[in-house]
Amino acid sequence: MPEALGRHQMVRVAPAAWRTLLMRRPEYDGLPYVADWAERNWPLVVRRPAGGEAGIPLGLPLPPAQGKRRLSFVLEASALRAIAPPPRLAEAAPAAPPEWQPTLRRLLDLDPEARTFGGLAWQHLTGLSYLSPTSDIDLLWRLDGAPEALLAGLSTIASEAPMRIDGECLGANGMAVHWRELAEGMPEILAKDARGVSLVARSDFLAGAGC
């Protein structure tokens, strides 16, 4: 995988390359939205590679009305025409339900640079319906020199929010830790990156958080 691509990165595929790819994937024939996904300029998301995959592993989650299917693809770098991080929460917030809005404003006050992935991101990016009354919100925060203040703020907001707040704190070398696990203060925590999952010392993760 190119060094610039990591988990949650959004990529847009050249329509010609997308059509060629789908010709090799007849099992996806007839699925809603898939045939013209690239023509609509909708992105795919970088996922963790499975064993033996050669190329860039990408995912496409269909809306819940289509069974919440998660389609998997592998493409060469030459097929990609744009790469971007997941959208900022501030950009995606208007696509969220009205009852979420007060909580989203509090989250943005806490960290205006927070980003979102999951259902809210896909609803914002495609205009399709990905959220339901029981949906969670998935967020990304890049830690700075005061991670404990962020974690304390998240704990307070989450205790009063109408939806579950999930998400990851991003630290050094592309590693990510679920914010709740980090907030619990355990000496060792599970960290994810593009290659897999590993157990790391919480102090080590926080020491390199701003890298």
Side-chain angles (χ1 to χ4, degrees):
M1 183 184 304
E3 187 174 344
L5 292 180
R7 294 173 60 247
H8 306 306
Q9 289 281 302
M10 314 299 290
V11 303
R12 287 174 168 82
V13 179
W18 184 246
R19 290 191 293 269
T20 299
L21 174 65
L22 291 181
M23 290 174 61
R24 301 195 299 267
R25 303 297 299 270
E27 68 271 27
Y28 294 155
D29 284 353
L31 288 179
Y33 310 115
V34 174
D36 59 351
W37 195 270
E39 293 282 356
R40 294 174 181 265
N41 200 34
W42 291 346
L44 283 78
V45 63
V46 177
R47 59 175 173 82
R48 189 177 299 130
E53 289 183 327
I56 299 171
L58 301 171
L60 190 167
L62 289 176
Q66 277 68 52
K68 298 185 83 170
R69 292 190 61 176
R70 297 180 179 272
L71 312 185
S72 296
F73 302 92
V74 178
L75 281 169
E76 299 297 324
S78 59
L80 309 185
R81 66 177 184 180
I83 302 169
R88 285 187 169 87
L89 176 58
E91 298 167 351
E99 59 270 23
W100 285 20
Q101 297 300 327
T103 297
L104 299 186
R105 287 193 289 271
R106 295 178 67 187
L107 289 166
L108 288 169
D109 287 342
L110 183 65
D111 183 357
E113 296 303 312
R115 293 182 179 271
T116 185
F117 62 103
L120 176 58
W122 290 107
Q123 188 154 302
H124 161 66
L125 290 165
T126 67
L128 303 177
S129 295
Y130 280 84
L131 297 175
S132 74
T134 59
S135 293
D136 303 338
I137 186 171
D138 299 292
L139 300 172
L140 292 170
W141 302 271
R142 183 164 295 281
L143 298 182
D144 58 19
E148 300 296 352
L150 173 67
L151 295 172
L154 289 175
S155 297
T156 298
I157 295 171
S159 69
E160 301 167 354
M163 69 297 205
R164 177 177 171 84
I165 299 175
D166 279 329
E168 298 175 344
C169 295
L170 304 178
N173 301 320
M175 301 187 77
V177 172
H178 195 286
W179 80 265
R180 291 180 186 272
E181 187 169 351
L182 195 59
E184 287 172 357
M186 298 296 290
E188 290 189 314
I189 51 180
L190 286 175
K192 300 178 182 179
D193 62 17
R195 295 175 296 277
V197 181
S198 58
L199 198 63
V200 301
R202 182 180 188 273
S203 58
D204 290 345
F205 179 81
L206 290 178
C211 298

